[in-house]
Amino acid sequence: MESNSTDWRYTVMPAVFTWLKESESGALEIDLAATQKYAADILRVEGKAGTKMGGLVGSGTLGENSYLTNEQRLSLLASLSEVAKEFNVPLISGAAAETKEELAVIVKELAKVGVDTVMVMPPKTEVTPSDDEMYDYYALSASAAKEAGVTIMPYNNPDAAGYHALSTSLLMKLAELPEVTALKISTTDVSVIETLMLENKELKVLAGVDTVTVHAGLAGACGGITGVGCIFPKASVTMQEYVNNGQWAEANKISQAMNSISYLDAQPLLLEYLKFAFGVHHNDAEGGLRTLGKKLTREQIEDVRARYLLAKERLQLLGLAE
């Protein structure tokens, strides 16, 4: 079976944070200029071998997607599209809906503001759909994507509460859709990736959890979508360079150096944790605490700060703390 997937440049893509500011009324609103600047800064960074991030993910879990209005989301993505075009990388964003008809509308909306690939989450229904129903849901999104001139990326997130898991057989079937360029697998159980690759070695699979980047690469993933890479982009890109070259010991050194902070990417409050760490990294801890999500406790703040500082110290020894 031949794959219809691109190689995604065999690198990682940052799931960028949505930076917020206080309006005159004191309410939080999107700071488009700051969000664009930070996204551009990340895309500008090179790994030790000279490669860069291969895409830009906006308004995802780390982009406070679930807290934004539709108008805010589209405005944010339109601004990030300008950055993606400047650096000649695809802009990726997610979509989920209760019905396939609703999903098709969302896909077309995202395409209009410059999204190139839509990460399609399983339907938001209480009852788990059958594989046939799930396939129809994705097939209609693929048709909508074709009509809009974009592609889709089925997003399997079995570890997260509220998301229906996609079976291996369904994922294999979805990968055959012409509009599917890759599968995103967000789980610490990398055997899922290995099983998929054993079925079709030409598949393009992206890992979605920072703690397993090296292990996912060993299992056959061609890259990943990273949150920690927004904080330490040079380390993240360099680690993927080593993975691509099969230099597992060198890749693992970086993975171990980032272990304390990568751990946060697999936690329920990953948005709040990693955004605060990002703020600390840029000497703007207060900005990192501006979120539409949950407010961190003092204990959580100090834990994240300590984890960040430990990772930074370890990466400095490797020359990768930029």
Side-chain angles (χ1 to χ4, degrees):
M1 183 194 311
E2 293 187 359
S3 170
N4 46 38
S5 304
T6 63
D7 63 8
W8 290 105
R9 302 190 185 185
Y10 284 90
T11 188
V12 288
M13 294 171 278
V16 295
F17 304 101
T18 299
W19 215 244
L20 303 174
K21 61 183 179 179
E22 293 184 17
S23 66
E24 292 183 0
S25 66
L28 292 178
E29 61 182 25
I30 298 176
D31 189 334
L32 293 177
T35 302
Q36 285 181 312
K37 176 188 179 300
Y38 284 129
D41 288 345
I42 294 166
L43 293 179
R44 197 171 284 117
V45 173
E46 294 184 358
K48 283 190 172 182
T51 61
K52 299 180 180 180
M53 297 282 185
L56 179 63
V57 181
S59 188
T61 300
L62 295 181
E64 317 219 12
N65 178 70
S66 60
Y67 301 105
L68 301 178
T69 65
N70 191 54
E71 182 180 358
Q72 287 175 318
R73 187 176 300 111
L74 295 178
S75 175
L76 170 64
L77 289 169
S79 70
L80 287 175
S81 176
E82 296 175 8
V83 179
K85 289 176 181 176
E86 177 186 351
F87 288 87
N88 193 31
V89 296
L91 176 63
I92 302 146
S93 190
E98 288 190 15
T99 68
K100 58 186 179 182
E101 291 81 11
E102 181 185 358
L103 177 64
V105 171
I106 295 173
V107 169
K108 293 178 181 179
E109 286 180 339
L110 295 179
K112 288 180 181 179
V113 295
V115 171
D116 300 292
T117 295
V118 181
M119 295 185 298
V120 181
M121 304 292 296
K124 297 189 295 185
T125 56
E126 291 186 13
V127 178
T128 304
S130 67
D131 272 11
D132 286 343
E133 292 171 327
M134 197 84 82
Y135 181 82
D136 290 343
Y137 172 86
Y138 278 94
L140 187 58
S141 73
S143 296
K146 181 179 181 180
E147 184 179 335
V150 297
T151 58
I152 66 170
M153 182 188 300
Y155 185 169
N156 191 28
N157 195 352
D159 295 347
Y163 292 118
H164 303 304
L166 304 179
S167 67
T168 301
S169 59
L170 176 60
L171 286 167
M172 294 300 302
K173 189 175 180 182
L174 293 177
E176 295 180 24
L177 291 169
E179 295 74 30
V180 171
T181 55
L183 302 174
K184 181 183 177 184
I185 308 297
S186 290
T187 176
T188 56
D189 180 8
V190 295
S191 68
V192 174
I193 297 174
E194 185 174 73
T195 300
L196 289 168
M197 299 306 298
L198 285 171
E199 290 291 328
N200 178 8
K201 66 179 181 179
E202 299 300 321
L203 277 180
K204 296 299 180 289
V205 176
L206 297 172
V209 184
D210 279 307
T211 55
V212 299
T213 298
V214 177
H215 310 287
L218 189 59
C222 68
I225 293 176
T226 177
V228 174
C230 295
I231 304 167
F232 297 114
K234 188 176 185 68
S236 185
V237 174
T238 301
M239 180 166 60
Q240 187 63 47
E241 288 174 340
Y242 286 137
V243 168
N244 294 345
N245 294 328
Q247 295 173 269
W248 304 111
E250 294 303 313
N252 204 42
K253 287 180 185 178
I254 301 174
S255 179
Q256 290 174 344
M258 292 197 293
N259 176 273
S260 62
I261 195 169
S262 294
Y263 164 86
L264 301 175
D265 190 50
Q267 303 307 306
L269 295 183
L270 72 160
L271 158 62
E272 292 85 352
Y273 290 159
L274 292 179
K275 189 173 187 180
F276 174 64
F278 183 84
V280 174
H281 188 66
H282 289 280
N283 299 311
D284 187 7
E286 181 182 356
L289 291 173
R290 292 193 187 110
T291 174
L292 300 173
K294 297 184 183 297
K295 302 302 180 184
L296 297 180
T297 65
R298 177 53 52 187
E299 182 179 6
Q300 289 170 328
I301 287 172
E302 292 310 316
D303 178 61
V304 173
R305 190 189 302 274
R307 288 177 175 279
Y308 160 77
L309 291 173
L310 178 57
K312 181 179 179 181
E313 179 183 350
R314 289 170 170 169
L315 288 171
Q316 284 174 330
L317 296 175
L318 299 176
L320 294 171
E322 297 175 30

